[in-house]
Amino acid sequence: MIPYTVNIKLAARTLTGTLNLQNKTAVDWGWQGLIAQGCHSSILIIDPKTSQTIQVLERHKANVVKVKWCRENYHHSLSAPYSLRLASADAAGKIIVWDVVSGTAHCEIQEHSKPIQDMDWLWTQDASRDLLLAVHPPNYIVLWNGDTGTKLWKKSYAENILSFSFDPFEPSNLALLTSEGIVFISDFSHSKPPGSGGKKVYIASPHASPAHTKPVPAVAPAPTGAKKALNKVKVLITNEKPTVEAVTLNADCLQLSYLPSKRNHMLLLYPREILILDLELSQTVGVVAIERSGVPFIQVIPCAQRDALFCLHENGCITLRVCRSTNAPDESGAATDPEQCVQELVYDLRSQCDAIRVTKTVRPYRMVICPVNENNAALAVSDGRVMLWELKAHVAKPALNPCSGLSPLYSPVAFCGSPLGQNQKKIQDLSLNTMIGQSLVLGADPPPGSPQQEVQLKFLLTGLLSGLPLPPFALRMCPPLTTKNINHYQPLLAVGTSNGSVLVYNLTSGLLHKDLSVHSCEVKGIEWVSLTSFLSFATSSPNNAGLVRNELQHVDLPTGRCFAFRGERGNDEPAIEMMKVSHLKQYLVVVFRDKPLELWDVRTGTLLREMAKSFPTVTALEWSPSHNLKSLKKKQMLAREAMARQTTLSDAEQSSVESSVISLLQDAESKSEGGGQAISAREHFVFTDTDGQVYHITVEGNMVKDGARIPPDGSMGSIACIAWKGDTLVLGDVDGNLNFWDLKARLSRGIPTHRGWVKKIRFAPGKGNQKLLVMYTDGAEVWDTKESDLVPGPVHSFVRVNMVSSLRIGRNVNYRILDIDWCTSDKVVLASDDGCIRVLEMAMKSASYRMDEQDLTDPVWCPYLLLPRAALTLKAFLLLQPWSGTFTMDISQVDYIEKDEIKGLIQEQLNSMSNDMKSVLQDPELNLLQRCLLVSRLFGDESDLQFWTVAAHYLQSFAQAHQLSLSVPEGQAPLEGTQTTPQGHLDICHDTLCESFYFQKSLCQKDNVERSTPRPSES
């Protein structure tokens, strides 16, 4: 028989909850395909494809305010491998560069002690991949080496710097958003700081003065709402003292960003409008305005693949607006209104997602989009949720568009830079530029007979990560693993919340197992009565008489069934202080604040005893681990054997058996089987009163007996909690003293911890494991209580106590502990006031761990988790397989010079691909250009993606031109209507790499804008 084994090794992890206001801008989506989000002082690493948290980084002592993934804009090799590097900055001015796979800090940077305003990695990585620019308050920009933590240079400016933006086309250009305006830097370099203070620019309106105010005709209606906003043309003014309007415009600016889709364009975000600036013209060429009843903007992310804007609104709605170029001005010479000609760029609303329900505690914080495909967005909400939206394209009905007034969107025919074959497989909605064609930007419909399809866009919610609700929390781990429950054991943690629900987490995966709405008020405590059921109690706010409504519920996990354990009791009575279930899960003690305790039978749900009013006030209580269950089971077995013999013995032999023994055994048997109940074993508990006196109570069935009383210890204050395991009893008082009793040797030892009130004490599970977890008002400690070797002579053994680890607020951590428990024999779980629950080793250090050693519920595609050689091997395997006529996804049979362990890790990555991706990669019609482009997207390789996009376009364009030249005989003119030039052009975001005719056309459009725009000096 093969022995059954179970993995009981739980990983250290952090269950996060609501965000702090300082975490508002701490979220980023990297080219590596992962999302980083700050949650108080921790950083979550989220895989958006599987909607699971795969890493939590903990080293900051203050709230995280910024996170930025390193760029991948360089050629990858063994010396420059794929790596998960993340920079994070906190409110205390510390910057940490992380090795995310191992969960360790690569370097730490500290310049000042104020919150970092902004930071970003340099996108030009030819000279170095490690350069990080940060804004240190109030007015410094510092360039750091993110690999060594070395400061390369530092530059100060006159105004307070709020944020900055790199020019994606010119690495020497940098724009700073300051408290008074914008500063343009044109000599940015990694080798030395900018030489000058930059060019200061302010935003103003040329029509604000009477000289530039145009009278409105009497017959024309006054413009209102968006129409009025569209008629406002704002310009950049320099070397002038700003007017009141200019100061107002600059103060209201929320965001500044260069457009990655076209050179020399920038957007400025205001609560109710977005300005698109042409920096060569120094004025606005587009305005996106909100109607008076519309929801204001929070954030805008411009796209690179298409001239489009992802906009986040205050109600949590994400909208996509795509640019539509209008026709050039009328060349017939007809008089036109100059104000009507300047609005050259129009951004049409093409799709929007559902809004969230905004409350005082639930607000949208930040939006990020996938930089590789630009068709996925993630919304971070203040309550800890991360909503993952995916943009989908579906074929539009022709009858709908004429009524909408919008120009149609067409999907491109090509797939990964090449025309799609007749039977070739493709991935739907691979990226934004595969969903929207270029005809819209050109302002023209596709030619007749074109296979392009008109499409409409919509957002689809594809993932949701939920966090814990607001603290406080009440924790209780399920009964520990034993040899008897190993076949069906699950490490479940019950978390009572402030809103009355009980969340049950499976700590193997860290995922939510059950979300149960049990109570109507804050959960105060939880006790498990089996592996699949628990008791929880909650108390309402007290009324004028100081009485509350107590709710004590029994919950069955498999069915979710809840019922009131105390029946109709609970209204208008003193609050429940605590409840304790006996070790055999037979009995329950309920302790009240100003009322004698109640003793219940858990199995039958009956009240065994309600103590008299003269019963002492209980300050601490604990059940003894000792009981007489084994002796009762032995008696039960003897009774069954005796009755079996009684049926087979002769009358003479039967008469020789003493009748008293038979009656005793039959009585034991009837006790065990009467009423279908299990054996009622004898258990006992101890409690202390307000004077510190210790009482001993014995319970057996429905019988309750008083036991010995131990007078109070003069060295102890008021006892606050008790823990009991084996022969060791531990008492903690409100003054921070721990008293260890060795019941076997009848000795005690007091230890003053000087930590204040001892809130809770828990012994670790496991036979012989004498570890002790102690919770104070300012932290927690782990102690180890052991018996020393026996000393020869009359001296007995004494209690030996060692402190294993300590955690103190202000010294190790910046959060306060709310509740504690053991989740395994060597790991503790802590609930804290920052809304997080942490599973830690006994050392109670960081909860970070190695990502490549985790057993995740869903496999994660991330080549960055592999060793450098393995990642490059995987890339080569996906690009080219010359040894076979067909592509395969099985690397185990390939004769690579790699260890089997490395091959296994590569195969895990191959298996984690989606079925659609595997099908396309194995398609024989997928050519090499398409494969290179697709693999560069899979790896999030920024430099490869740009190279193969340009290469695939021009190689395909040359092939089409050659084919067209062969179709026309030499010396013969082409027929009318015959295409003589290849269709399509490279996107304008590739700038000077575009075709000459298209680049010239874009310059002509800009020239038309400049000629049709009234200058500020014109009257």
Side-chain angles (χ1 to χ4, degrees):
M1 180 179 177
I2 301 176
Y4 181 86
T5 59
V6 62
N7 179 21
I8 60 171
K9 184 174 176 58
L10 302 182
R13 66 175 70 250
T14 301
L15 307 176
T16 56
T18 58
L19 306 182
N20 188 279
L21 184 60
Q22 291 183 314
N23 302 135
K24 186 172 184 176
T25 58
V27 61
D28 190 35
W29 195 326
W31 281 85
Q32 302 85 351
L34 302 176
I35 299 174
Q37 181 191 21
C39 179
H40 292 267
S41 59
S42 305
I43 303 160
L44 281 68
I45 308 300
I46 299 168
D47 176 44
K49 302 181 194 69
T50 58
S51 302
Q52 57 183 344
T53 302
I54 58 177
Q55 174 68 290
V56 178
L57 304 173
E58 289 196 332
R59 193 174 180 86
H60 286 285
K61 296 296 191 298
N63 291 323
V64 178
V65 295
K66 291 287 180 183
V67 290
K68 285 291 181 181
W69 287 103
C70 187
R71 299 287 288 265
E72 297 295 326
N73 193 21
Y74 60 93
H75 174 66
H76 295 80
S77 61
L78 286 177
S79 59
Y82 293 98
S83 61
L84 285 179
R85 287 195 304 164
L86 177 75
S88 61
D90 63 23
K94 176 175 284 189
I95 299 174
I96 299 179
V97 178
W98 299 88
D99 178 1
V100 178
V101 174
S102 63
T104 58
H106 190 72
C107 74
E108 296 187 16
I109 299 168
Q110 183 87 47
E111 178 73 9
H112 299 289
S113 59
K114 294 182 179 180
I116 302 297
Q117 286 293 107
D118 201 3
M119 70 173 182
D120 202 357
W121 298 88
L122 270 62
W123 63 268
T124 51
Q125 298 181 302
D126 297 332
S128 174
R129 301 178 288 115
D130 310 310
L131 302 183
L132 180 69
L133 185 69
V135 176
H136 295 264
N139 56 354
Y140 296 98
I141 61 171
V142 184
L143 186 64
W144 300 93
N145 185 315
D147 183 52
T148 62
T150 305
K151 180 168 62 176
L152 301 182
W153 53 256
K154 180 179 180 180
K155 175 74 174 177
S156 64
Y157 289 87
E159 297 90 8
N160 293 343
I161 303 173
L162 305 178
S163 64
F164 66 86
S165 177
F166 284 116
D167 188 340
F169 296 95
E170 181 53 60
S172 62
N173 289 343
L174 176 69
L176 306 177
L177 178 64
T178 69
S179 56
E180 296 185 5
I182 304 172
V183 176
F184 287 102
I185 300 172
S186 58
D187 57 346
F188 181 85
S189 171
H190 65 273
S191 58
K192 60 181 180 179
S196 63
K199 180 181 178 182
K200 298 180 182 178
V201 174
Y202 305 96
I203 307 296
S205 173
H207 303 287
S209 62
H212 297 95
T213 303
K214 188 170 184 177
V216 180
V219 295
T224 58
K227 180 67 176 176
K228 184 177 180 180
L230 291 175
N231 288 335
K232 281 187 177 180
V233 179
K234 297 176 178 61
V235 298
L236 301 177
I237 59 174
T238 58
N239 302 324
E240 296 180 21
K241 187 176 181 179
T243 62
V244 175
E245 180 180 351
V247 172
T248 304
L249 289 171
N250 288 288
D252 291 341
C253 187
L254 302 178
Q255 180 185 338
L256 166 149
S257 179
Y258 280 95
L259 292 188
S261 58
K262 56 180 67 175
R263 180 185 283 268
N264 293 323
H265 283 72
M266 174 181 285
L267 70 81
L268 298 179
L269 174 66
Y270 296 88
R272 304 200 68 85
E273 64 181 356
I274 304 170
L275 303 184
I276 307 298
L277 305 178
D278 189 322
L279 299 181
E280 290 182 332
L281 303 181
S282 296
Q283 67 182 43
T284 56
V285 293
V287 177
V288 179
I290 295 181
E291 297 287 346
R292 184 173 300 174
S293 60
V295 183
F297 294 111
I298 295 179
Q299 180 195 3
V300 173
I301 299 179
C303 299
Q305 300 176 15
R306 291 288 178 265
D307 191 0
L309 305 174
F310 279 89
C311 308
L312 175 62
H313 299 259
E314 288 183 355
N315 61 352
C317 177
I318 299 175
T319 59
L320 176 67
R321 298 175 183 268
V322 182
C323 179
R324 166 170 51 91
S325 294
T326 59
N327 295 327
D330 189 5
E331 299 178 358
S332 62
T336 57
D337 185 356
E339 290 192 21
Q340 301 300 324
C341 298
V342 297
Q343 192 61 35
E344 191 67 19
L345 298 180
V346 179
Y347 287 83
D348 296 323
L349 177 62
R350 293 293 179 172
S351 183
Q352 67 182 37
C353 72
D354 296 331
I356 65 174
R357 184 178 179 183
V358 179
T359 64
K360 290 183 179 179
T361 58
V362 179
R363 299 180 303 277
Y365 268 0
R366 211 67 175 171
M367 166 189 63
V368 287
I369 66 170
C370 173
V372 182
N373 301 322
E374 293 188 337
N375 63 349
N376 293 275
L379 173 63
V381 188
S382 61
D383 61 0
R385 284 180 294 167
V386 177
M387 306 177 71
L388 301 170
W389 295 93
E390 185 174 351
L391 195 64
K392 295 287 187 180
H394 61 96
V395 178
K397 297 180 181 179
L400 296 180
N401 258 333
C403 301
S404 64
L406 298 177
S407 300
L409 292 175
Y410 294 99
S411 64
V413 183
F415 176 68
C416 289
S418 300
L420 192 65
Q422 185 176 2
N423 298 319
Q424 185 177 354
K425 299 176 181 177
K426 67 173 291 188
I427 298 176
Q428 297 292 335
D429 307 324
L430 177 63
S431 61
L432 186 63
N433 57 3
T434 65
M435 299 165 61
I436 307 175
Q438 301 165 338
S439 59
L440 181 74
V441 182
L442 287 172
D445 291 336
S450 173
Q452 293 189 13
Q453 288 183 316
E454 184 181 342
V455 295
Q456 290 180 339
L457 304 177
K458 64 178 180 180
F459 280 103
L460 182 65
L461 185 66
T462 57
L464 176 64
L465 283 85
S466 298
L468 292 163
L470 289 170
F473 303 121
L475 301 181
R476 200 66 172 118
M477 190 68 188
C478 71
L481 177 73
T482 64
T483 55
K484 295 180 180 180
N485 62 25
I486 192 171
N487 291 326
H488 53 274
Y489 181 79
Q490 285 183 297
L492 301 179
L493 174 70
V495 181
T497 65
S498 56
N499 58 15
S501 63
V502 177
L503 309 177
V504 181
Y505 284 89
N506 188 323
L507 293 187
T508 301
S509 61
L511 298 179
L512 183 65
H513 178 69
K514 294 273 188 177
D515 185 352
L516 304 168
S517 181
V518 181
H519 299 280
S520 61
C521 44
E522 180 185 333
V523 180
K524 299 290 189 179
I526 300 173
E527 288 287 335
W528 290 81
V529 294
S530 71
L531 285 175
T532 58
S533 60
F534 60 83
L535 294 168
S536 61
F537 76 92
T539 58
S540 65
S541 300
N543 55 22
N544 295 333
L547 302 179
V548 301
R549 183 184 70 258
N550 289 316
E551 300 176 1
L552 179 55
Q553 296 283 333
H554 182 282
V555 181
D556 182 63
L557 269 185
T559 62
R561 179 175 176 266
C562 304
F563 66 89
F565 187 80
R566 298 176 67 227
E568 299 297 329
R569 296 168 176 259
N571 292 323
D572 294 333
E573 64 178 0
I576 297 178
E577 285 285 313
M578 74 176 92
M579 65 176 181
K580 294 281 186 176
V581 175
S582 65
H583 280 259
L584 295 181
K585 316 301 181 187
Q586 296 184 116
Y587 311 113
L588 169 71
V589 171
V590 182
V591 180
F592 298 87
R593 179 168 300 169
D594 297 316
K595 176 184 173 183
L597 62 83
E598 295 177 353
L599 183 62
W600 292 77
D601 190 319
V602 174
R603 299 164 298 177
T604 60
T606 56
L607 179 63
L608 298 178
R609 179 74 61 89
E610 184 176 3
M611 300 304 180
K613 291 183 179 180
S614 59
F615 197 80
T617 301
V618 178
T619 60
L621 184 146
E622 184 60 285
W623 286 91
S624 168
S626 62
H627 48 77
N628 67 338
L629 181 62
K630 289 185 178 180
S631 61
L632 281 180
K633 286 188 174 181
K634 186 175 181 180
K635 289 181 180 180
Q636 180 186 14
M637 184 180 64
L638 290 175
R640 288 175 177 171
E641 291 177 355
M643 285 187 291
R645 287 198 306 269
Q646 186 179 4
T647 58
T648 57
L649 293 176
S650 62
D651 293 339
E653 293 172 328
Q654 182 176 352
S655 61
S656 65
V657 180
E658 297 181 5
S659 59
S660 59
V661 177
I662 291 293
S663 62
L664 178 63
L665 297 177
Q666 288 176 340
D667 181 61
E669 178 71 12
S670 63
K671 279 186 178 181
S672 64
E673 295 183 352
Q677 298 297 326
I679 302 174
S680 293
R682 182 174 65 249
E683 296 190 81
H684 46 101
F685 63 88
V686 295
F687 70 90
T688 56
D689 61 11
T690 53
D691 298 326
Q693 187 170 212
V694 180
Y695 297 79
H696 182 272
I697 304 292
T698 302
V699 184
E700 184 173 9
N702 56 1
M703 297 179 60
V704 181
K705 296 180 181 179
D706 291 337
R709 298 186 183 184
I710 304 174
D713 188 341
S715 63
M716 296 284 289
S718 177
I719 305 300
C721 50
I722 305 174
W724 193 346
K725 184 173 184 180
D727 294 323
T728 303
L729 182 71
V730 184
L731 296 87
D733 67 8
V734 295
D735 300 323
N737 299 311
L738 294 176
N739 203 334
F740 296 84
W741 292 8
D742 187 336
L743 301 178
K744 186 177 181 181
R746 296 180 179 272
L747 294 175
S748 68
R749 178 183 176 185
I751 297 180
T753 65
H754 307 292
R755 293 287 297 266
W757 194 342
V758 180
K759 292 284 189 178
K760 191 169 291 189
I761 305 175
R762 299 263 193 219
F763 270 107
K767 187 176 181 180
N769 187 356
Q770 293 295 110
K771 303 290 191 307
L772 186 74
L773 181 60
V774 185
M775 171 183 162
Y776 306 96
T777 54
D778 65 345
E781 288 176 345
V782 175
W783 294 79
D784 192 3
T785 63
K786 299 178 180 178
E787 288 187 1
S788 67
D789 297 331
L790 292 176
V791 181
V795 181
H796 297 283
S797 64
F798 61 92
V799 179
R800 184 175 62 185
V801 182
N802 296 318
M803 189 173 68
V804 178
S805 61
S806 176
L807 185 146
R808 189 191 294 262
I809 184 172
R811 180 183 298 176
N812 313 88
V813 295
N814 62 335
Y815 50 80
R816 187 170 60 88
I817 304 300
L818 301 178
D819 203 358
I820 60 171
D821 203 357
W822 292 88
C823 52
T824 62
S825 59
D826 61 346
K827 285 188 174 62
V828 300
V829 55
L830 310 177
S832 52
D833 64 349
D834 62 355
C836 298
I837 295 176
R838 294 171 172 85
V839 177
L840 304 174
E841 303 282 351
M842 276 194 299
M844 292 192 291
K845 301 297 183 184
S846 170
S848 304
Y849 45 82
R850 286 198 62 86
M851 290 172 57
D852 51 2
E853 295 178 356
Q854 300 306 306
D855 293 327
L856 299 173
T857 305
D858 298 317
V860 172
W861 163 262
C862 186
Y864 295 80
L865 300 179
L866 299 173
L867 296 174
R869 182 179 179 86
L872 294 173
T873 301
L874 173 60
K875 185 177 180 180
F877 179 77
L878 293 175
L879 286 175
L880 198 61
Q881 298 182 13
W883 55 83
S884 175
T886 59
F887 266 78
T888 177
M889 291 287 111
D890 186 5
I891 200 174
S892 59
Q893 305 302 323
V894 180
D895 188 18
Y896 270 134
I897 309 175
E898 299 289 352
K899 296 180 180 179
D900 291 339
E901 182 181 358
I902 300 297
K903 282 187 177 182
L905 295 175
I906 296 175
Q907 190 61 50
E908 288 181 4
Q909 285 294 308
L910 291 170
N911 295 339
S912 66
M913 284 186 183
S914 65
N915 292 331
D916 291 341
M917 185 63 69
K918 292 179 185 177
S919 177
V920 170
L921 288 171
Q922 291 176 303
D923 186 3
E925 293 196 24
L926 188 72
N927 61 46
L928 184 58
L929 280 176
Q930 292 174 320
R931 186 176 296 276
C932 291
L933 197 54
L934 188 58
V935 171
S936 65
R937 285 193 183 277
L938 275 174
F939 274 69
D941 195 325
E942 187 175 357
S943 62
D944 274 14
L945 183 59
Q946 293 178 359
F947 172 81
W948 287 114
T949 300
V950 176
H953 171 78
Y954 278 109
L955 288 174
Q956 187 62 37
S957 179
F958 294 154
Q960 288 182 1
H962 180 68
Q963 187 68 27
L964 291 172
S965 64
L966 293 180
S967 61
V968 180
E970 186 176 354
Q972 183 177 351
L975 298 176
E976 186 177 354
T978 304
Q979 179 185 353
T980 57
T981 58
Q983 295 183 10
H985 57 80
L986 199 62
D987 294 333
I988 195 61
C989 64
H990 296 284
D991 198 40
T992 54
L993 297 176
C994 295
E995 288 87 349
S996 299
F997 80 93
Y998 185 60
F999 191 76
Q1000 292 173 0
K1001 183 172 183 177
S1002 65
L1003 293 179
C1004 290
Q1005 289 180 346
K1006 180 179 293 187
D1007 183 60
N1008 290 333
V1009 174
E1010 184 174 8
R1011 286 186 297 171
S1012 63
T1013 303
R1015 308 303 297 170
S1017 58
E1018 298 176 8
S1019 57

